[in-house]
Amino acid sequence: MSTEEKFGEYSKCIEDDRAVSVLDPLGMDSFLIEELPRINEEARVESLIQDASRLIPPLRELGDPDVHEAMAATRDIAIVASSLTRHGLNLASVPQIEPSLLLLSRITGEVPSDTVFSYGTRNPAGSRMRTFTGTEEERFFIGRFSKATHALLPTIAFLDQAEDISIFSPTYVELLQKAGEEFAGVISAMAAVRQCITPEFFTHRLRPYFEPKRIGGEIYFAPGGVQMPVLLVDLALWGSDEKDPKCWEYWEQNLAYLPPGLRSKARKVSSHPSLVEKGIGELEKSHQDNSGLAQARKSLRALAEMLGSLEKFR
């Protein structure tokens, strides 16, 4: 697969998110932007039920949305569902929520719940941003969280390219350095969240909206850092060689929350030796002269630096 094709796979994910962010298929902009944060702040559960029942259409009226419209509808219904859960209400209090999310899931090929993509990267920027609290802190959190998620995609693309390059090639070092530069943006975005969002705000104001939900008889976790595609960075660098079933159980559980394209990419990455395994294997089998070994040392040093960055993020 060419470089352009590999980058295209990841670019499509970003393009999908942007296409979804401009949509308002259920006409819920005004409610989600202006009313929902006030209702949540004042814990007006009856208003929440009444407004949600009025705005979320019955299953027969959902029509035939395309994939992007279905993603946008999932985003908007799911934030209402999470608000209901936060106030101790069952999703059945608005009967059309659960069947609608299940139907939309069959169109999107994704879980019938909110994810880091619906809450983050598919969330409109600026005045149309959907929030639980309406606070500037939550807006900042969503913005940085989204930036970190999208910065992971070129990181993975560069690591993906490195899989096809020998450690005895200068190109290997270039690709690892580019991956590291992109990943530095992930670290800085999340560090900014840590600096600007106080533990008190996150714990008491925001965290209550991120409880698991039962939909279609299954429990789905709320958006969280473990669902970020950093999981693919793990797999590419070292994880595809892992033998511990607990690690694979953890990955499988969280990879399920990624879009179909990234899930497919994760399966491909996990079917190949990791960059660590491949690099060590090349070195052990080599019959290079001093010049070649010097280049290999540079490559492995770049790989070690990338592993250090991943550890720093973790």
Side-chain angles (χ1 to χ4, degrees), residues 21 33 123-131 135-136 139-140 142-143:
S21 70
I33 297 164
N123 200 336
S127 62
R128 291 185 58 241
M129 183 178 284
R130 282 88 163 103
T131 68
T135 59
E136 288 305 311
R139 291 177 180 279
F140 181 84
I142 292 170

Side-chain angles (χ1 to χ4, degrees), residues 76-89:
D76 292 347
I77 295 174
I79 195 169
V80 174
S82 292
S83 296
L84 290 168
T85 302
R86 186 263 179 272
H87 297 296
L89 299 171

Side-chain angles (χ1 to χ4, degrees), residues 8-168:
E9 290 181 314
Y10 299 107
S11 296
K12 184 180 182 303
C13 183
I14 296 175
E15 290 166 4
D16 284 342
D17 289 348
R18 288 172 178 163
V20 172
S21 70
V22 302
L23 299 177
D24 179 27
L26 304 180
M28 295 180 68
D29 262 9
S30 179
F31 171 71
L32 294 174
I33 297 164
E34 300 170 10
E35 292 300 320
L36 183 64
R38 285 199 290 265
I39 289 173
N40 280 333
E41 182 67 20
E42 297 166 9
R44 289 189 280 118
V45 294
E46 288 303 320
S47 294
L48 179 57
I49 292 171
Q50 291 171 9
D51 288 337
S53 299
R54 172 177 56 86
L55 290 166
I56 300 174
L59 200 59
R60 65 182 181 275
E61 295 179 13
L62 268 181
D64 186 23
D66 63 25
V67 171
H68 289 160
E69 290 169 335
M71 289 174 173
T74 299
R75 174 198 66 204
D76 292 347
I77 295 174
I79 195 169
V80 174
S82 292
S83 296
L84 290 168
T85 302
R86 186 263 179 272
H87 297 296
L89 299 171
N90 192 293
L91 295 189
S93 58
V94 182
Q96 61 267 45
I97 282 183
E98 192 170 356
S100 294
L101 288 173
L102 291 169
L103 172 64
L104 293 166
S105 174
R106 291 194 287 274
I107 298 171
T108 64
E110 299 179 2
V111 295
S113 188
D114 39 2
T115 66
V116 295
F117 294 88
S118 66
Y119 179 65
T121 56
R122 296 173 188 167
N123 200 336
S127 62
R128 291 185 58 241
M129 183 178 284
R130 282 88 163 103
T131 68
F132 294 112
T133 66
T135 59
E136 288 305 311
E137 290 93 336
E138 186 180 3
R139 291 177 180 279
F140 181 84
F141 175 72
I142 292 170
R144 293 292 174 166
F145 194 65
S146 300
K147 182 177 180 181
T149 300
H150 273 172
L152 281 165
L153 301 181
T155 301
I156 301 163
F158 285 123
L159 295 178
D160 198 5
Q161 289 182 67
E163 180 189 325
D164 300 327
I165 305 297
S166 169
I167 61 170
F168 298 103

